[in-house]
Amino acid sequence: MDNSLSILRNRIKGLGKVAVCFSGGLDSTALLNLSKEALGDNVTAVMVDVPMLSERIRDIALIVASRLDVRLVTAKLEWEDLEGVLENGPDRCYNCKKAMYKAIRKVSNDHNIRWVLNGDVADDDPKERPGMRAAEEEGILSPMRDAGVTKERIKEYVGSLELPLDLVKETCMLMRFPMGMAVTEDDLETVEDIEYGIRSIAEVKQLRVRMDGSRHLRLQTSAEEISKLRDSEEDLSYYLDSIGYTYEIMNVPYQ
């Protein structure tokens, strides 16, 4: 029997008062509610509002925090606070997480909260998550990972919360572009607009539009939703052709 959530609640309860790094995604939503179950009102959600955060994700985070009835504090960062991120080099995730964790730590200090928790889980691969190094450097705890909580367990738990919207695994908008390709603010706005259009047509929950600087897009969704993209190809072709793009649907599912 998987008792990882019970282990997690007990460990969080021993911390007394915590700030949770919150994005409105699956993992941070699970951690936020589990922390509330353990500590009640001694939990503060902290969301870092960065320029590459889409309006859609920003809205979801506000809705979820309100539904869970947890105090939400927002820390805003501008591009000048995210040195090197738009260059999109191999250290982009580390640099970004470092700045975000520093901002969250400042909020926690301002609210006299010693412990800051993030939503890393047991099956996150450190080789694919350079932000883990930034978390260690800034003294951020990863209680779900330490308690052995897996992605599948998180999906089951969040599914039981009866939230007013379906949460899926979300990623930074910079991940729509190949590493090493410098990105502009206009690039980020363009891919966000295109994803909005495709979501409206195909009604998919999970979506990444892969861009490489050409006028050809690669569309990626979950294995469960790829049929929605294929069934909508006529309308997708019309829409994307009207704004000057060709496309292909990737067979590699978005996990």
Side-chain angles (χ1 to χ4, degrees), residues 13-232:
K13 191 172 184 179
L15 299 177
K17 188 177 182 182
V18 300
V20 173
C21 305
F22 183 63
S23 67
L26 274 170
D27 298 341
S28 67
T29 293
L31 178 60
L32 185 60
N33 201 64
L34 286 160
S35 298
K36 184 182 178 184
E37 289 174 353
L39 295 172
D41 292 337
N42 287 323
V43 178
T44 299
V46 185
M47 179 177 72
V48 182
D49 189 345
V50 291
M52 56 280 199
L53 187 68
S54 71
E55 287 295 332
R56 176 175 172 273
I57 302 305
R58 189 177 288 109
D59 291 344
I60 286 174
L62 295 174
I63 292 169
V64 171
S66 175
R67 181 60 177 262
L68 298 183
D69 194 25
V70 177
R71 176 176 59 172
L72 176 65
V73 178
T74 300
K76 190 170 182 61
L77 295 180
E78 304 295 348
W79 285 121
E80 54 264 31
D81 304 311
L82 299 165
E83 184 177 356
V85 171
L86 277 177
E87 280 77 1
N88 204 20
D91 289 334
R92 68 178 181 191
C93 293
Y94 169 79
N95 292 336
C96 182
K97 283 293 188 180
K98 184 79 171 179
M100 292 174 72
Y101 285 140
K102 282 181 176 294
I104 294 170
R105 177 61 73 188
K106 183 179 186 307
V107 170
S108 71
N109 290 341
D110 290 345
H111 288 79
N112 196 31
I113 300 172
R114 178 180 179 184
W115 304 111
V116 178
L117 317 181
N118 72 17
D120 290 350
V121 296
D123 35 9
D124 281 335
D125 185 349
K127 295 178 182 178
E128 298 176 359
R129 301 290 295 269
M132 287 183 176
R133 178 162 58 97
E136 292 176 3
E137 292 172 354
E138 295 302 319
I140 309 299
L141 304 183
S142 303
M144 294 201 296
R145 186 182 67 194
D146 296 341
V149 180
T150 63
K151 295 175 183 177
E152 275 308 309
R153 192 69 184 91
I154 290 299
K155 289 180 183 178
E156 293 172 5
Y157 175 76
V158 173
S160 73
L161 297 182
E162 298 183 353
L163 294 171
L165 69 174
D166 293 324
L167 298 183
V168 295
K169 190 73 174 178
E170 298 285 358
T171 58
C172 171
M173 296 301 290
L174 283 170
M175 293 185 70
R176 275 59 171 176
F177 304 88
M179 187 174 292
M181 174 184 166
V183 177
T184 68
E185 294 179 59
D186 286 343
D187 291 331
L188 294 171
E189 291 177 6
T190 296
V191 75
E192 182 176 353
D193 289 344
I194 291 173
E195 288 193 355
Y196 176 83
I198 293 172
R199 287 178 191 276
S200 299
I201 291 168
E203 298 183 350
V204 291
K205 298 169 186 174
Q206 289 188 276
L207 178 68
R208 287 180 188 165
V209 171
R210 303 288 191 178
M211 305 186 77
D212 61 6
S214 72
R215 306 298 292 183
H216 185 74
L217 309 176
R218 292 176 297 142
L219 314 186
Q220 186 177 23
T221 187
S222 63
E224 295 78 15
E225 293 190 292
I226 195 166
S227 61
K228 291 184 178 180
L229 286 182
R230 298 203 184 283
D231 291 344
S232 304

